[in-house]
Amino acid sequence: MPRPRCERCQRPLDHCLCPLIPALDSRTRVILLQHPSETAHALNTARLAALGLNNAELRIGEVFDDLPDLLATPGYQPVLLFPGDDAQVLTAYGEAGDKPLLLIVPDGTWRKARKLLYLNPLLGGLPRVTLAQAAASRYRLRKAPEAGALSTIEAVVGALNTLEQPACFDALLAPFEALIEGQIRAMGVETFQRNHGRE
């Protein structure tokens, strides 16, 4: 019999993260496009990001037919948070008159995220933005494919901290940290050190 789950955070009720999830306001609108293969992942960080931000939305799928309407959201400038040779490094908003960003964030493995871009050509046509200097990932349970690779929630926090400084969005990471600590405890510290210890 499956363990009862919290309908909101999707975690088992005895590990519900909702008390740690903030309700943060942002000028930036964040749209997380999640590949369906990520929805059942124990560390579903895109869901945590969407729950913790009042101006965010999580969409699940491979092809997003309503993308034209989404990208035309009035009052926002759509950009894609994804690395690339032509990606512009994010900087803080200037004057209050600056149009805030509609930050489109693909969520999935690198291969699945690239597939989302391929299946939704409108995404490929968006200006790309990236983080200046990514801090080391706290995501100690997955091997990063390359230096500077972050989980979705870490990338979103980094982007918002840059764009909306001096506002700070680190509170968004509290449930993520608790999730990782819980997974480490469940597997046992020795197993964690053996499989995920720093090289």
Side-chain angles (χ1 to χ4, degrees):
M1 185 172 159
R3 294 158 78 186
R5 290 186 169 269
C6 169
E7 287 188 17
R8 184 166 177 257
C9 72
Q10 302 286 303
R11 299 292 300 156
L13 281 178
D14 51 350
H15 294 290
C16 173
L17 294 168
C18 289
L20 296 172
I21 297 173
L24 304 178
D25 290 318
S26 61
R27 280 182 66 197
T28 309
R29 178 146 181 76
V30 179
I31 305 290
L32 300 131
L33 301 180
Q34 185 176 68
H35 191 275
S37 66
E38 289 293 302
T39 55
H41 197 283
L43 299 173
N44 186 341
T45 75
R47 183 175 190 82
L48 292 178
L51 289 173
L53 290 168
N54 295 328
N55 197 10
E57 185 182 343
L58 177 66
R59 303 266 183 120
I60 299 165
E62 283 195 311
V63 176
F64 299 93
D65 294 328
D66 61 344
L67 212 48
D69 294 335
L70 192 62
L71 298 179
T73 303
Y76 292 97
Q77 177 192 344
V79 296
L80 182 72
L81 183 62
F82 202 76
D85 293 339
D86 56 346
Q88 293 288 310
V89 173
L90 284 172
T91 56
Y93 288 130
E95 299 304 311
D98 269 12
K99 193 184 266 195
L101 296 183
L102 178 72
L103 196 65
I104 308 289
V105 186
D107 176 62
T109 61
W110 285 107
R111 194 167 63 82
K112 296 282 170 57
R114 287 191 186 96
K115 187 178 181 186
L116 289 179
L117 267 59
Y118 173 75
L119 292 174
N120 300 276
L122 277 177
L123 293 178
L126 290 176
R128 288 192 188 193
V129 294
T130 188
L131 301 176
Q133 187 56 51
S137 175
R138 306 180 199 199
Y139 205 164
R140 306 187 298 281
L141 297 175
R142 264 188 178 179
K143 285 272 194 287
E146 55 197 68
L150 298 174
S151 66
T152 297
I153 199 167
E154 290 173 306
V156 168
V157 168
L160 293 177
N161 280 349
T162 298
L163 287 165
E164 306 200 18
Q165 54 189 280
C168 180
F169 293 84
D170 288 356
L172 210 51
L173 295 172
F176 171 62
E177 293 279 9
L179 200 50
I180 289 173
E181 291 302 325
Q183 297 281 104
I184 291 171
R185 275 197 306 278
M187 74 170 64
V189 175
E190 281 184 24
T191 304
F192 168 72
Q193 292 291 0
R194 189 165 61 248
N195 295 318
H196 302 281
R198 293 285 174 242
E199 304 293 312

